[in-house]
């Protein structure tokens, strides 16, 4: 098994330069190293519980990466054998994916968080757009058959303002993402619009979040990917997936109003992009 | 004009014991003293702007108290003439109203708040149910023709847990609100259910909040009132109103995900009350 750092990861720790990070095997699996603290235990517990929970409807389950247990693998940082979650590689079958990672929720801290973690999250939620918009961009890569067109650094992304976020969501579906002109939103109807588009999928998620009281998702992202070689037209619907479950709590009969509010805010941002509401040609 | 402290106020400062508080004249007006700091200016500015904003649809406008300018009146604390907002008295025509004040939003601080105010709000949001549920009970009064059956103190209400909130929403529509038994939810279908009920009205508000980017409502409450002398059956639909606009900010093209999340959480709580989903007999 040849493992390597995933090519299309836009957020989180990278398995490069001797760091501990996720690996892919090129045959459809994604290996995420379990973090050593509570986060690793929590994420493993979430996947285990979620994968066997019959209350999750199948049209919702497909928004989550498939889970295939855990496996001891040589860690990417050279520290020896380390347990990894075995997940579906979300980019399998995409040749030149454009990807955006949107961390959902005005707050990333949860009620039972330690003081240190609470302060760290709160500070970041206020410095980024999370508190203001209900979500923030954690990473983005725009590419076409020729290679990567735009991939801002983490530091750059963390400084995004509300209008940067608005512009990024337009650039993400534009044929001129690196131009100084207004993004042309040429692929908006193909990617965001249509019955299989990103908007339709986010609305399915929203409806579930209005009702489900099983889980509260803190610091979880919505990942959107589509194949930019052909403007998302032929590789089936754009992919919308939830990722990062190290801070999922039980819902205890309460809806996840924090995540729901963020999803609704994101939906509104996308609604306002020209042509996002039109049917795509293959819809 | 004979002014007195309103009988059915369940939250906020009371015009009693020499304090500055709102007054009513018994003929349909409610006089709210303008607070001396930014809050007074802000609330006045909100009412002025809102009342002339043609973008507010009429089915939404009726959730807001009618606004009739301001007036200098002798303050209830004996401090002399003081400017008051002149608003509709929300309880006009109700003989024995049961009332609940629900402060909506997981967070009551706004991005531009001062450090002091931010810390005060954050602390309260975490100590009450706001952060957890997306709303908290600010006051409640349950009465029938015989008088007040239950009216917990502010101190008591501020200590409500999630299960206290769940139980309070049931007691609010029960014929046995003071009993140690389970609340019977006898009036749930009449008050919460039906095409004119509280749920239907909250769903109208929710739909507007999914779309509107004009205002962000921090520390604003949903007030629910119905006439308990006849189980809410004959006085028209139960009243659902938004109140308290001292911390309303411009939306700047972003939805109020904080308020929306809280409203959705409240709706889910009410959905789970037995008979809330059934049609009331006069619907």
């Amino acid at each position: 098994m040849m493992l390597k750092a995933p090519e299309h990861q836009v957020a989180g720790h990278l398995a490069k330069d001797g760091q501990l990070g996720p690996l892919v095997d090129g045959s459809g699996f994604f290996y995420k190293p379990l973090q050593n603290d509570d986060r690793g235990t929590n994420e493993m517990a979430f996947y285990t519980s979620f994968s066997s929970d019959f209350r999750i409807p199948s049209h919702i389950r497909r928004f989550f990466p498939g889970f295939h247990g855990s496996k001891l693998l040589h860690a990417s940082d050279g520290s020896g054998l380390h347990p990894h979650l075995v997940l579906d590689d979300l980019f399998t079958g995409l040749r030149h994916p454009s990807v955006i990672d949107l961390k959902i929720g005005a707050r990333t801290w949860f009620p039972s968080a330690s003081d240190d973690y609470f302060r760290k999250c709160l500070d970041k939620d206020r410095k980024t757009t999370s508190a203001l918009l209900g979500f923030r961009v954690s990473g983005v890569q725009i590419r076409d058959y020729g290679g990567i067109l735009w991939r801002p650094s983490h530091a750059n992304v963390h400084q995004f303002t509300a209008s940067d976020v608005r512009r990024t969501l337009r650039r993400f579906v534009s044929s001129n993402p690196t131009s100084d002109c207004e993004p042309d939103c040429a692929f908006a109807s193909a990617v965001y619009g249509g019955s299989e588009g990103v908007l339709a999928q986010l609305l399915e998620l929203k409806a579930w979040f209005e009702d489900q009281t099983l889980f509260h998702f803190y610091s979880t992202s919505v990942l959107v990917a589509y194949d930019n070689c052909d403007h998302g037209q032929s590789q089936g619907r754009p992919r919308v997936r939830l990722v990062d479950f190290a801070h999922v709590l039980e819902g205890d009969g309460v809806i996840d109003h924090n995540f729901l509010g963020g999803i609704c805010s994101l939906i509104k941002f996308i609604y306002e992009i020209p042509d996002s509401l039109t049917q795509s040609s293959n819809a």
Side-chain angles (χ1 to χ4, degrees), chain A:
Chain A
M1 188 165 66
M2 275 294 292
L3 295 174
K4 54 174 187 166
E7 200 181 344
H8 308 300
Q9 186 188 343
V10 296
H13 302 288
L14 298 175
K16 283 176 182 167
D17 314 318
Q19 289 189 97
L20 185 61
L23 299 164
V24 291
D25 64 3
S27 76
F29 292 115
F30 179 88
Y31 303 93
K32 182 173 181 176
L34 277 171
Q35 290 162 293
N36 282 319
D37 52 18
D38 282 354
R39 293 175 294 177
T41 323
N42 287 346
E43 187 152 33
M44 180 74 188
F46 169 75
Y47 272 111
T48 307
S49 147
F50 182 86
S51 64
S52 63
D53 194 321
F54 64 90
R55 295 166 297 182
I56 315 296
S58 59
H59 74 280
I60 293 303
R61 197 174 284 284
R62 64 182 174 177
F63 288 111
F64 290 77
F67 170 62
H68 311 281
S70 66
K71 195 164 183 168
L72 280 175
L73 294 174
H74 285 283
S76 64
D77 62 355
S79 65
L81 286 173
H82 189 96
H84 288 64
L85 292 167
V86 186
L87 304 170
D88 284 343
D89 181 351
L90 302 180
F91 302 110
T92 297
L94 298 182
R95 281 176 295 168
H96 310 286
S98 286
V99 183
I100 189 166
D101 182 301
L102 301 152
K103 196 181 280 269
I104 306 295
R107 78 169 192 246
T108 53
W109 56 271
F110 42 92
S112 58
S114 70
D115 262 17
D116 266 7
Y117 185 76
F118 160 68
R119 265 178 246 282
K120 203 179 113 188
C121 289
L122 179 65
D123 191 48
K124 197 153 182 186
D125 295 343
R126 295 181 80 194
K127 280 185 177 153
T128 65
T129 64
S130 291
L132 187 62
L133 306 186
F135 67 95
R136 66 178 180 247
V137 177
S138 281
V140 58
Q141 150 182 308
I142 300 179
R143 55 176 296 167
D144 65 8
Y145 48 87
I148 291 174
L149 300 174
W150 187 49
R151 187 183 164 114
S153 70
H154 287 189
N156 187 344
V157 161
H158 288 153
Q159 284 165 16
F160 275 8
T161 63
S163 74
D164 292 331
V165 169
R166 186 170 278 119
R167 189 173 166 86
T168 297
L169 290 168
R170 294 180 178 222
R171 291 173 77 169
F172 186 65
V173 293
S174 289
S175 67
N176 61 343
T178 54
S179 150
D180 286 338
C181 312
E182 266 307 285
D184 60 17
C185 301
F187 319 141
S189 79
V191 176
Y192 292 148
S195 62
E196 301 267 273
V198 170
L199 258 182
Q201 295 185 59
L202 291 177
L203 289 169
E204 279 188 276
L205 269 179
K206 166 177 175 266
W208 184 60
F209 273 94
E210 286 174 349
D211 186 57
Q212 74 88 12
T213 61
L214 302 171
F215 302 109
H216 286 188
F217 295 89
Y218 291 98
S219 288
T220 290
S221 287
V222 162
L223 196 77
V224 177
Y226 73 99
D227 214 342
N228 205 5
C229 59
D230 43 16
H231 314 337
Q233 299 272 357
S234 68
Q235 292 289 340
R237 63 185 207 166
R239 297 185 188 176
V240 174
R241 297 289 185 277
L242 298 190
V243 296
D244 296 338
F245 307 109
H247 302 291
V248 177
L249 274 72
E250 288 191 15
D252 279 334
V254 179
I255 66 163
D256 189 350
H257 48 85
N258 179 58
F259 196 96
L260 175 59
I263 281 279
C264 289
S265 178
L266 172 61
I267 286 170
K268 178 68 176 175
F269 268 74
I270 297 180
Y271 267 136
E272 291 185 341
I273 296 170
D275 295 330
S276 290
L277 288 173
T278 59
Q279 294 291 309
S280 66
S281 55
N282 63 340

